[in-house]
Amino acid sequence: MINESWISIVLGACVDAGRAILKVYDSDFAVTHKADDSPLTLADQEAHRIIADRLRKTRVPVLSEEGRSIPFAERSCWEQMWLVDPLDGTKEFVKRNGEFTVNIALVEAGRPVFGAIFVPVRQVLYVGGQGAGSFRLDDAGAIAAAGSGELEQWQDLADCGKKLPFHAGPASPLTVVGSRSHLTPEVESFVEKLKTSHGEVLFVPAGSSLKLCLVAEGRAHLYPRLGPTMEWDIAAGHAIAENAGARVYCHDTGGPMVYNKENLLNPWFIVEGAGFRSGEKGK
């Protein structure tokens, strides 16, 4: 479980990184590409720098998408780690559709026990933690600024935010959320099978970790990710969804998702909203 003294540090890091991202977003920014041909901007780099600097105060090691070259022999010995995506949804950032996030998760023994996701354009913050539940805070930029002292413990989050899920979940149609920029044929096939078993299915595209947030809120029943993702893409959303009553499991085995693996690539997975069962292997 997260040390409550770290809550304001993490949320302040999210908000400050979000401010830096928006400065670049509102400019005529340049786009370069990483070795895997994924886009990289100054916003990714600035957000990484800010978050790494803030999290240093916790004395817990950080594994970030923009600082991923830490040998497994070293990180396998970590009891705790911060798993960070300083700008999740860079493709959405480049498209300027607003569907990008800042993701910070605390991982213990291969499990995400705390997650924070900040949506800079909307100024919305999602937070979830083991034994504490999950919450959505609107206008978070005003109340979670670094050093504000207004969000220092779980009770503050409960007082300022809305507990998730706050939608009971639409009775019908079955609502499935999927990637806006990385939709695979396997997901399309998955949705077609759901139509056979459940009738009408509403498919909602979304970018970044917002897909997990939609399930956590209860606005979507399912998020099938039958395609590649990395650990930092989903750890924060996993913690938020799970502590809002959702289930996150491996598509092929029904087993739990594990973090800080030697290979940081995730297996395909399913996120099921609170009270919903899809009939996949995880049932």
Side-chain angles (χ1 to χ4, degrees), residues 41-56:
T41 71
L42 176 62
D44 300 78
Q45 298 164 321
E46 278 295 296
H48 168 76
R49 181 188 61 78
I50 289 168
I51 293 169
D53 180 63
R54 301 293 191 277
L55 295 183
R56 195 171 294 118

Side-chain angles (χ1 to χ4, degrees), residues 20-75:
I21 288 169
L22 287 179
K23 286 182 180 178
V24 179
Y25 189 64
D26 293 334
S27 70
D28 186 16
F29 59 84
V31 180
T32 58
H33 289 82
K34 305 174 191 176
D36 63 359
D37 204 36
S38 58
L40 176 69
T41 71
L42 176 62
D44 300 78
Q45 298 164 321
E46 278 295 296
H48 168 76
R49 181 188 61 78
I50 289 168
I51 293 169
D53 180 63
R54 301 293 191 277
L55 295 183
R56 195 171 294 118
K57 299 173 185 175
T58 68
R59 299 189 177 182
V60 172
V62 175
L63 180 63
S64 169
E65 180 178 12
E66 306 310 328
R68 67 177 81 180
S69 58
I70 299 172
F72 180 66
E74 176 182 343
R75 56 184 173 79

